[in-house]
Amino acid sequence: WITAGYLLGIITSDYIPYFSLLIFAVSLFILLILRGFIKKYSVRRYLIFIAAFLLGAANYMLASNIDFTDSAAYLDRYITVRGRINELPTSYNTSEDKPPQYYYIIDLREISYHGETIKTRDRIRISSSEKYNYGDTITAEGFLEEFADKMNSNSSDTQTYYKTRGIFFRMSALKTSEWNTKYFPVSLRALTNKLADSTSAFIDVHYSDRAGAILKAVLIGDKTQFDEEYNKILDESGAKRLLYTPFLHIIIINMIMAALFAILPVNNRVRDFLLCSILVIYILINGTSPTFVKLPLIMLLTIHRRRAAGNEYFPAILAGAILIIALFEPMCLFDGGFILSVSCTILIHIFLPRLQRYMTFIRNAAIRRILAVSLILTVGTLPLSMYFFGGSAAYTILCTLFFVPLILALLTVSPIVFLMTSVLGGAPIFAETQALILLLMDKIPRLIHSLPFSFLRAGQPSIYFIVMFYLLLALIKLAMDGQWKTIKASLLRAVSTGLALSILIINAATLGTLQMIFVNVGQGDAAVLHVPFRDTVLIDGGGGSPYSDYNVGRYVFLPYLEKSGFYNIDIAIVSHYHKDHCEGIIEAVKEMRVKTLIMPDCTPDDEYRLMLESAAQENSTEIMYINRETTVDFKSGLKIHIIYPNIADLDSRDANDTSLVAEVTYGEFSALFTGDITETAEKKLTARNLAHKYDVLKVPHHGSAKSSSENFVKTVSPEYAVIGVGENNNYGMPTKDCLKKYSEINAKVLRTDQCGDIIFTVEKNGVQYVRGFKYGR
């Protein structure tokens, strides 16, 4: 009851202001006391639940609110910070023609602003091109910023991720230098990080890139060293989650303790004391990671309950472990890894004994247990894996069966190799054994990934589907226990059936509708037209700044498509060959099944056109080059009419005027996609009567001063004017003059920098409603 109330308080506080929760809880508190007084009924359990609820809400508010930090007063100001690098640095954006960039997690000690210096204990992520090592104390100058909100409904939530680690701020350091104040925190965590840093340096000297990357992942949990191709293989084979996990560490600890107790027989009290001591040390070392603390904490509470109460009642033990973790780190409930870890623990506890009874045909108990656990986790975590990662590895059982023994062997052999190499200069036999293990660990994920359907993709499931899935699992559990006809089972069947019908009705309601989604990709254009179970069309896919290595198409647009379940694309349209429009289409053609690619028939030597053609050729995608008016009809009733340009009489020297202008119609509804055309092209459209009034206009060139001429705006006179634009962009888009023109015709201006994704739900008689990711309907 305490844990349930506390966790509910944390989760509720993410949606409801604390003051409202306080009023509700106090009112309920008073009503319960009155009821207990009048009815002579014990309400202690409910009062404790409400008190825990308020504590959870308050603790979440303190842990997540940036205003409670010392550094909040300096947001968006140019400041100087001083502190110590307290986690292993990671590198990014490494390319041949540019120096690598580094991320440093700094424990701050001082902040200076306009000659004033304050002491602080905040943490900050600093990016810099200067190379420093773990433990260095540095000074950095730059603007203090918050982490960006989620860009769109399916983008990664960087802000929440860093908040779960107690980090609220970031800085792109414009200047860094060493700080002459040296200090070393006295803690097991600091000693462990120092050991990890030394191990990383040793690996860099003695091992190749691939072998070194595997060793770093297994020994110190640094999974950032893999190249992009192999990283994808590890993710989609299920191997990556096995590389650095607490259950493997606990297996090693138990093996060592078992060997020790076999040599030195001790009584149960001493055995429990020694094991508890080791587990406490492990928790202190890994205290910043809730996922790593959970399992040893469960073991500690199990030992305590067995000695104190004479039983090992699992629900109480798990509730106690989660409560202790959430008291110290309330943000853990928003950590996908922690949620999966807790879910796995519950699933194994519920289904392992039952499933093993059905697998007695496998005589070896160890193999039977491994296969049963793998099957439980593969099936049981399927919707959560889909939700957090956009898919699930289909051969987790194979990966676990072959990969876990290799990791255990590597954890055992590597310390011996390191010690012998450091002292003797080599490690005969052991080094060869380690090399064989590393070779197998490199090859096995590749083999598993090469199997058909190795990674199951189905898009991100809804919360309703996830709830229904676990209700069905609960029903299976009752059936396995012979309780199928109980009242509890009947209630679960009724609720599951109701949810299933609701999901079917919701999906049925989308039949015959057009979803027109303007995806927030920052400073760029990207749109998806989708008629459920019929047609999917992409119009541009966004892209990064010309001066940046960050691939918006790969890291923003492509994940959006994957999590939305848009794997089969009928047509992908590139309006013109500028990075902020075609980078995402390049990635879609590479990774998705794109049937046809439509591009303007101009500038044959353009680098982005060549990249698109290469991707299309490699993936058997048909290319349609457009040089005149063209119409594409779909059986659903969706029609795309490309009305401009006619390449033969294109006289503009501005590459933006090569943009394909696409008229989209669906019954009585119409929209105009204009790419980046300028006033020159707009005049041709109006002079030739190619443009008319539309329900929705994709505003030309992100609302720049060179487009949205007065005559064009009045001619198209849209009800909705959508602008794809980056927050606080350097181009000053959209301009005030542009916004004024649309305001004067009473168009509703919707901007991706303000709304996030903008989603139109359209039936053949027009727009039904519009939703913005940040603001709802």
Side-chain angles (χ1 to χ4, degrees):
W1 279 80
I2 294 171
T3 303
Y6 183 80
L7 299 186
L8 184 63
I10 291 174
I11 294 168
T12 309
S13 294
D14 197 41
Y15 303 98
I16 303 173
Y18 183 71
F19 185 69
S20 301
L21 291 177
L22 183 63
I23 292 173
F24 168 76
V26 170
S27 303
L28 192 58
F29 198 86
I30 294 170
L31 287 172
L32 283 169
I33 290 176
L34 288 173
R35 182 191 176 191
F37 180 76
I38 295 168
K39 298 281 188 179
K40 306 297 183 183
Y41 177 76
S42 176
V43 293
R44 184 180 64 175
R45 179 178 292 177
Y46 306 107
L47 296 179
I48 289 173
F49 178 88
I50 294 170
F53 175 85
L54 286 175
L55 177 62
N59 204 12
Y60 170 79
M61 183 181 66
L62 291 171
S64 63
N65 195 328
I66 197 170
D67 294 330
F68 289 102
T69 62
D70 298 322
S71 307
Y74 301 98
L75 270 176
D76 301 320
R77 296 182 181 180
Y78 189 87
I79 62 173
T80 301
V81 298
R82 301 177 189 89
R84 182 178 185 274
I85 300 173
N86 220 33
E87 292 186 17
L88 298 185
T90 56
S91 60
Y92 69 102
N93 277 11
T94 304
S95 60
E96 294 181 1
D97 56 338
K98 291 185 179 180
Q101 299 289 308
Y102 301 93
Y103 280 151
Y104 301 108
I105 304 300
I106 308 293
D107 282 353
L108 295 185
R109 286 295 180 268
E110 294 180 359
I111 296 177
S112 295
Y113 177 69
H114 282 187
E116 293 183 357
T117 299
I118 67 160
K119 301 293 183 181
T120 181
R121 291 284 181 171
D122 291 338
R123 304 181 79 207
I124 183 175
R125 191 197 76 184
I126 289 177
S127 57
S128 170
S129 58
E130 298 295 326
K131 178 74 170 72
Y132 295 101
N133 299 312
Y134 167 78
D136 287 349
T137 52
I138 66 171
T139 297
E141 296 180 22
F143 288 95
L144 189 70
E145 299 175 296
E146 278 189 89
F147 289 97
D149 289 331
K150 286 185 68 171
M151 290 184 67
N152 57 59
S153 55
N154 286 329
S155 67
S156 56
D157 193 347
T158 307
Q159 189 177 90
T160 299
Y161 167 74
Y162 278 103
K163 278 186 178 181
T164 61
R165 300 173 59 191
I167 302 168
F168 289 83
F169 308 98
R170 61 176 176 165
M171 174 189 286
S172 295
L174 301 178
K175 188 187 296 184
T176 57
S177 61
E178 290 190 13
W179 186 30
N180 55 14
T181 301
K182 302 290 182 183
Y183 61 93
F184 185 81
V186 180
S187 70
L188 282 172
R189 179 70 180 168
L191 287 169
T192 305
N193 279 341
K194 182 64 179 174
L195 178 61
D197 184 58
S198 301
T199 303
S200 179
F202 181 89
I203 291 170
D204 286 338
V205 171
H206 292 92
Y207 293 87
S208 65
D209 289 345
R210 179 61 52 76
I214 294 172
L215 276 168
K216 286 183 181 182
V218 171
L219 299 179
I220 61 177
D222 182 3
K223 302 178 187 178
T224 64
Q225 305 297 311
F226 298 109
D227 60 72
E228 198 164 311
E229 180 212 358
Y230 191 62
N231 194 59
K232 182 180 178 183
I233 290 171
L234 288 174
D235 275 330
E236 297 188 355
S237 65
K240 194 173 184 181
R241 295 183 215 171
L242 300 171
L243 289 174
Y244 190 73
T245 55
F247 85 87
L248 290 175
H249 297 172
I250 297 300
I251 288 173
I252 293 288
I253 289 172
N254 282 331
M255 287 169 58
I256 293 171
M257 297 297 285
L260 179 64
F261 296 148
I263 298 169
L264 301 171
V266 295
N267 61 41
N268 289 346
R269 184 181 294 276
V270 175
R271 181 201 64 194
D272 287 349
F273 175 78
L274 290 174
L275 183 56
C276 288
S277 300
I278 296 294
L279 292 173
V280 168
I281 291 170
Y282 184 85
I283 288 171
L284 292 174
I285 288 171
N286 295 284
T288 58
S289 173
T291 304
F292 276 76
V293 170
K294 179 194 61 99
L295 183 55
L297 197 54
I298 286 174
M299 292 180 68
L300 283 172
L301 292 175
T302 302
I303 293 169
H304 168 73
R305 187 172 178 93
R306 187 175 63 232
R307 298 193 67 85
N311 63 62
E312 298 175 5
Y313 183 55
F314 179 76
I317 291 168
L318 181 62
I322 294 173
L323 180 62
I324 291 169
I325 293 169
L327 280 169
F328 289 96
E329 185 47 77
M331 294 296 293
C332 69
L333 294 190
F334 303 92
D335 182 340
F338 182 71
I339 292 170
L340 269 170
S341 176
V342 171
S343 302
C344 290
T345 305
I346 295 171
L347 288 166
I348 289 171
H349 170 76
I350 292 173
F351 287 103
L352 183 58
R354 295 168 175 83
L355 188 58
Q356 286 191 107
R357 291 201 299 266
Y358 291 92
M359 298 176 67
T360 52
F361 58 89
I362 300 173
R363 294 188 177 183
N364 186 289
I367 293 176
R368 183 167 64 243
R369 185 180 179 87
I370 289 172
L371 289 175
V373 168
S374 298
L375 183 61
I376 289 166
L377 298 187
T378 301
V379 177
T381 63
L382 185 63
L384 290 176
S385 295
M386 294 286 187
Y387 186 83
F388 289 115
F389 308 114
S392 179
Y395 304 110
T396 301
I397 294 176
L398 278 179
C399 198
T400 304
L401 200 60
F402 291 107
F403 215 59
V404 168
L406 290 173
I407 295 173
L408 289 171
L410 191 65
L411 284 167
T412 305
V413 170
S414 295
I416 300 171
V417 174
F418 291 177
L419 182 62
M420 290 181 68
T421 303
S422 299
V423 176
L424 305 175
I429 301 176
F430 290 101
E432 285 75 12
T433 303
Q434 185 193 52
L436 177 61
I437 294 169
L438 289 169
L439 178 64
L440 290 172
M441 289 184 69
D442 180 30
K443 299 298 183 185
I444 286 174
R446 294 179 187 277
L447 289 172
I448 292 174
H449 187 257
S450 66
L451 296 173
F453 310 109
S454 61
F455 192 67
L456 304 174
R457 303 176 189 272
Q460 190 175 60
S462 69
I463 297 297
Y464 301 109
F465 178 84
I466 294 173
V467 171
M468 186 188 72
F469 180 88
Y470 286 108
L471 286 175
L472 290 174
L473 281 188
L475 276 172
I476 291 171
K477 184 257 185 188
L478 291 176
M480 294 172 83
D481 290 344
Q483 299 181 28
W484 181 253
K485 296 183 179 180
T486 61
I487 295 174
K488 186 188 295 184
S490 299
L491 182 62
L492 283 176
R493 285 198 297 273
V495 174
S496 301
T497 304
L499 270 175
L501 288 173
S502 299
I503 292 169
L504 286 173
I505 291 168
I506 290 169
N507 286 325
T510 66
L511 293 175
T513 65
L514 167 67
Q515 297 286 315
M516 188 167 69
I517 308 161
F518 294 87
V519 184
N520 180 21
V521 290
Q523 185 64 25
D525 280 344
V528 181
L529 311 178
H530 179 63
V531 180
F533 307 106
R534 302 296 293 272
D535 312 309
T536 304
V537 177
L538 309 182
I539 302 180
D540 289 335
S545 160
Y547 314 105
S548 170
D549 287 334
Y550 185 72
N551 191 324
V552 170
R554 183 176 304 160
Y555 300 120
V556 178
F557 187 62
L558 186 61
Y560 181 89
L561 297 178
E562 289 175 338
K563 288 191 175 182
S564 299
F566 297 138
Y567 298 108
N568 295 299
I569 314 296
D570 296 285
I571 289 177
I573 300 173
V574 174
S575 64
H576 63 298
Y577 304 121
H578 280 173
K579 186 178 181 182
D580 61 327
H581 291 254
C582 62
E583 198 172 55
I585 300 297
I586 294 170
E587 296 301 323
V589 172
K590 286 180 180 178
E591 301 294 335
M592 303 299 185
R593 291 182 286 275
V594 179
K595 294 178 184 176
T596 305
L597 177 62
I598 292 179
M599 310 192 301
D601 189 10
C602 61
T603 57
D605 297 326
D606 184 276
E607 63 170 316
Y608 289 107
R609 171 169 170 165
L610 295 174
M611 290 167 69
L612 284 159
E613 290 173 336
S614 174
Q617 185 176 4
E618 289 176 9
N619 294 278
S620 304
T621 298
E622 179 191 356
I623 299 178
M624 283 179 61
Y625 295 101
I626 304 298
N627 52 27
R628 63 178 63 88
E629 282 190 55
T630 305
T631 300
V632 181
D633 288 307
F634 297 87
K635 291 181 179 179
S636 63
L638 178 66
K639 179 184 289 188
I640 298 176
H641 181 199
I642 298 173
I643 60 175
Y644 178 90
N646 186 332
I647 300 297
D649 64 356
L650 184 66
D651 55 6
S652 173
R653 294 184 178 181
D654 192 329
N656 287 316
D657 283 329
T658 64
S659 297
L660 301 180
V661 177
E663 185 179 84
V664 174
T665 57
Y666 190 67
E668 298 174 12
F669 168 81
S670 62
L672 189 67
F673 288 80
T674 57
D676 279 355
I677 60 171
T678 69
E679 190 172 348
T680 303
E682 291 173 355
K683 287 180 179 177
K684 287 188 176 183
L685 288 170
T686 53
R688 298 175 183 177
N689 295 319
L690 293 172
H692 51 80
K693 178 174 171 53
Y694 296 92
D695 297 304
V696 177
L697 171 69
K698 200 293 295 181
V699 171
H701 202 193
H702 322 289
S704 78
K706 294 183 179 180
S707 59
S708 293
S709 56
E710 189 171 345
N711 187 40
F712 175 77
V713 171
K714 288 181 178 178
T715 300
V716 297
S717 191
E719 183 178 354
Y720 298 95
V722 178
I723 306 177
V725 65
E727 189 175 5
N728 300 321
N729 64 84
N730 297 324
Y731 306 100
M733 296 178 184
T735 65
K736 290 181 180 179
D737 184 53
C738 171
L739 294 174
K740 182 181 177 183
K741 290 173 186 175
Y742 290 102
S743 175
E744 287 174 348
I745 63 165
N746 295 318
K748 298 180 182 70
V749 176
L750 304 173
R751 299 164 46 170
T752 55
D753 62 332
Q754 295 177 345
C755 302
D757 304 333
I758 300 165
I759 305 169
F760 289 83
T761 297
V762 178
E763 292 185 1
K764 291 189 176 180
N765 60 353
V767 175
Q768 298 304 300
Y769 60 88
V770 188
R771 286 187 293 118
F773 166 61
K774 294 182 180 179
Y775 298 111
R777 200 151 162 166

